[in-house]
Amino acid sequence: MPVTENSNDANQSGADVLQLDDSGKLRHLLTLQHLDERHITALLDHAETFLTEPGQAAARQETLRGKTVANLFFEASTRTRASFELAAKRLGADVLNLDLNTSSQQKGESVLDMIRTLQAMQVDVFVLRNAETGLAAKVASQVAEHVSVLNAGESDVSHPTQGLLDVFTIRRHLGRIAGLTVAIVGDIAHSRVARSASEALVTMGAAEVRLVSPASLAPDPRTVSPHARVLHNMDDGLRGADVVMALRIQKERFSDRDGVPGAEQYFRDFGLTRERMRLAADHAIVMHPGPMNRGVEIESSLADGERSVIWDQVRNGVAIRMAVLSAVCGTHS
Ligand code: CP
């Protein structure tokens, strides 16, 4: 949903809005660009406390009792939307999942008036996903002082809770982030996951972040961290990597598909397979943010195999979102 209300700063970047309050606590989460190692580590450490073993009761607290969290997803989602809802409920919050197809937006109401309407109903946290850039930052600049905005995926720019759950999953499996070599493989050009994961990995001291893609899906050089390496050869990208993260080809974001390989050729040249994973370190883990296109960017048996931590990423996403909600609601630093 475009930011429709007239304003010169409608395309304001999330990085421009202060995410921390005067006391240094997280108020909004719009990007990982300006979040330092101390803040990220605190969120990961707190997320640890929300993990329980599969089959055990999910962690529950009442720390958000009396708070209301509204999920506003202007773009499709399974994992992020469900995990924000579960996270908020498990912390005792009231949760509103607004069906945007039947909201008054269909009658021409602007997004900002929708936000003001829900804020008047005492919504404390807005969780926003949007296909265009700038909505979360715009809303964050408009809401009341006690209200927080969490970016749940913004165009190809930013997906901060995904970046957090990715570094959390790596830390849980390999014990650290510092010193690791991480290969992010696939449609880097359109990937907010690659952007946020790279930012978190660099902040947490990864030795090398490799962005591996066909030339037609390479990132805009202006968006690439100086600490990341752009590569166009899978073997070079995977060799010795501690972590390999495959990305979905995001056809819905293509404006010009010239030069983008078809699915079969893509799998041949850039598909992540068991065979190719032999080039990575023996202990290397396989990640994917989901949703997966099995047989296109990742071999199905690899996704389900012993190296895969893909379902752990999903599980960890709930814990990370509980930690983020606790932080912005002031129940934990
Ligand atoms: N990884 C991710 O954002 O998945 P969803 O689009 O299903 O939320």
Side-chain angles (χ1 to χ4, degrees):
M1 177 66 204
V3 181
T4 50
E5 200 157 309
N6 54 346
S7 169
N8 289 335
D9 59 356
N11 288 320
Q12 181 180 18
S13 146
D16 296 331
V17 174
L18 200 59
Q19 298 194 101
L20 306 179
D21 68 15
D22 291 343
S23 64
K25 288 183 74 169
L26 195 67
R27 179 174 167 216
H28 306 294
L29 182 60
L30 307 174
T31 172
L32 296 182
Q33 244 180 344
H34 302 296
L35 214 58
D36 64 20
E37 184 177 356
R38 184 177 63 86
H39 278 100
I40 293 179
T41 300
L43 289 167
L44 306 195
D45 290 348
H46 195 209
E48 289 283 353
T49 69
F50 294 120
L51 288 176
T52 59
E53 292 302 315
Q56 287 185 347
R60 280 186 194 279
Q61 286 186 5
E62 295 296 305
T63 47
L64 264 63
R65 176 69 59 206
K67 301 280 186 185
T68 302
V69 176
N71 285 326
L72 304 183
F73 280 64
F74 298 94
E75 202 189 42
S77 169
T78 297
R79 279 145 285 270
T80 312
R81 180 174 163 159
S83 60
F84 263 115
E85 180 176 353
L86 289 172
K89 286 181 171 168
R90 289 175 184 171
L91 291 170
D94 293 329
V95 180
L96 174 70
N97 291 307
L98 197 70
D99 181 354
L100 295 165
N101 292 319
T102 56
S103 74
S104 286
Q105 202 194 352
Q106 304 300 326
K107 302 177 196 166
E109 184 170 53
S110 75
V111 178
L112 289 178
D113 274 341
M114 179 195 296
I115 296 288
R116 291 175 188 121
T117 301
L118 297 175
Q119 186 174 270
M121 296 181 198
Q122 295 183 280
V123 167
D124 301 287
V125 181
F126 289 100
V127 179
L128 293 176
R129 170 171 288 196
N130 199 34
E132 298 202 15
T133 308
L135 179 65
K138 176 71 182 168
V139 173
S141 70
Q142 302 275 324
V143 291
E145 207 170 321
H146 66 280
V147 173
S148 294
V149 177
L150 304 180
N151 177 355
E154 175 185 8
S155 179
D156 56 6
V157 173
S158 185
H159 194 351
T161 55
Q162 179 72 44
L164 290 172
L165 78 86
D166 289 338
V167 290
F168 183 54
T169 303
I170 294 169
R171 194 181 79 165
R172 284 190 58 75
H173 279 275
L174 299 180
R176 64 195 165 96
I177 311 294
L180 296 182
T181 295
V182 180
I184 304 178
V185 179
D187 181 359
I188 308 288
H190 301 101
S191 181
R192 56 194 176 208
V193 174
R195 295 266 295 266
S196 287
S198 303
E199 286 160 5
L201 288 162
V202 168
T203 301
M204 299 303 284
E208 192 173 330
V209 178
R210 299 174 184 164
L211 303 175
V212 189
S213 73
S216 54
L217 295 173
D220 179 338
R222 291 168 300 181
T223 68
V224 177
S225 158
H227 303 282
R229 272 179 74 198
V230 175
L231 298 165
H232 299 306
N233 178 287
M234 277 292 269
D235 290 359
D236 294 342
L238 298 188
R239 198 166 286 115
D242 300 292
V243 177
V244 182
M245 182 189 300
L247 300 175
R248 181 175 69 89
I249 297 189
Q250 301 192 41
K251 287 184 188 151
E252 71 275 19
R253 298 196 204 283
F254 289 5
S255 53
D256 175 3
R257 296 187 56 191
D258 285 353
V260 176
E264 278 180 29
Q265 190 195 333
Y266 184 86
F267 186 67
R268 247 190 338 267
D269 296 343
F270 284 90
L272 191 60
T273 61
R274 298 178 87 89
E275 182 61 28
R276 283 203 164 112
M277 277 302 294
R278 289 172 191 256
L279 289 166
D282 289 343
H283 58 258
I285 56 173
V286 171
M287 304 177 73
H288 192 304
M292 283 185 276
N293 291 308
R294 292 172 183 258
V296 179
E297 70 263 3
I298 189 165
E299 187 176 33
S300 192
S301 64
L302 181 64
D304 296 327
E306 65 286 349
R307 285 174 181 261
S308 170
V309 300
I310 292 169
W311 307 117
D312 284 347
Q313 287 175 269
V314 177
R315 171 170 167 258
N316 293 340
V318 181
I320 280 291
R321 288 165 182 130
M322 289 173 85
V324 170
L325 284 165
S326 302
V328 297
C329 288
T331 59
H332 198 275
S333 61

